[in-house]
């Protein structure tokens, strides 16, 4: 699992405390959910991130393993286009 990329989606908007707890992750808020994208080097590191989610009492909504190369998210691109008008 070296260098695996994951997206962990938790319920709610991440405030400063949650962002600080996940300072080793890309933190992105969309709608009423927060997406965490850690870059984990091994299985233990992945489970350590999940442990932080649990310890903070966050509600886990989804976990996805991402492709090695970032994929283009057409939905996100469309949302950005609408905002730029």
């Amino acid at each position: 699992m070296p260098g695996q990329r994951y997206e962990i989606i938790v319920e709610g908007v991440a405030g400063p405390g949650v962002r600080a707890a996940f300072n080793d992750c890309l933190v992105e808020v969309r709608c009423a959910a927060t997406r965490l994208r850690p870059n984990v080097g091994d299985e233990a590191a992945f489970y350590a991130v999940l442990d932080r989610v649990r310890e903070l009492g966050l509600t886990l909504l989804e976990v996805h393993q991402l492709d090695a190369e970032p994929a283009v998210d057409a939905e996100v691109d469309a949302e950005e286009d609408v905002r730029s008008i």
Side-chain angles (χ1 to χ4, degrees), residues 1 11 15 18 20 37 43 46 49 53 55 58-59 61-62 71 74 77 80-82 85:
M1 177 161 128
E11 186 175 50
V18 171
R37 291 190 177 175
E43 193 171 328
F46 172 68
V49 174
V53 168
E55 289 167 1
L58 302 174
T59 300
L61 298 176
E62 299 177 39
D77 292 341
E80 290 174 357
D81 289 345
V82 170
I85 294 176

Side-chain angles (χ1 to χ4, degrees), residues 12-83:
V13 175
V18 171
R19 288 178 182 270
F22 294 100
N23 65 352
D24 58 341
C25 299
L26 173 65
V27 179
E28 185 176 67
V29 176
R30 291 191 189 168
C31 298
T34 298
R35 296 170 187 258
L36 307 170
R37 291 190 177 175
N39 186 14
V40 295
D42 59 19
E43 193 171 328
F46 172 68
Y47 283 106
V49 174
L50 289 179
D51 283 343
R52 278 185 270 162
V53 168
R54 182 180 45 86
E55 289 167 1
L56 290 169
L58 302 174
T59 300
L60 181 64
L61 298 176
E62 299 177 39
V63 176
H64 302 277
Q65 184 174 3
L66 304 175
D67 295 333
E69 294 297 318
V72 175
D73 187 342
E75 184 178 328
V76 172
D77 292 341
E79 289 175 5
E80 290 174 357
D81 289 345
V82 170
R83 286 187 223 136

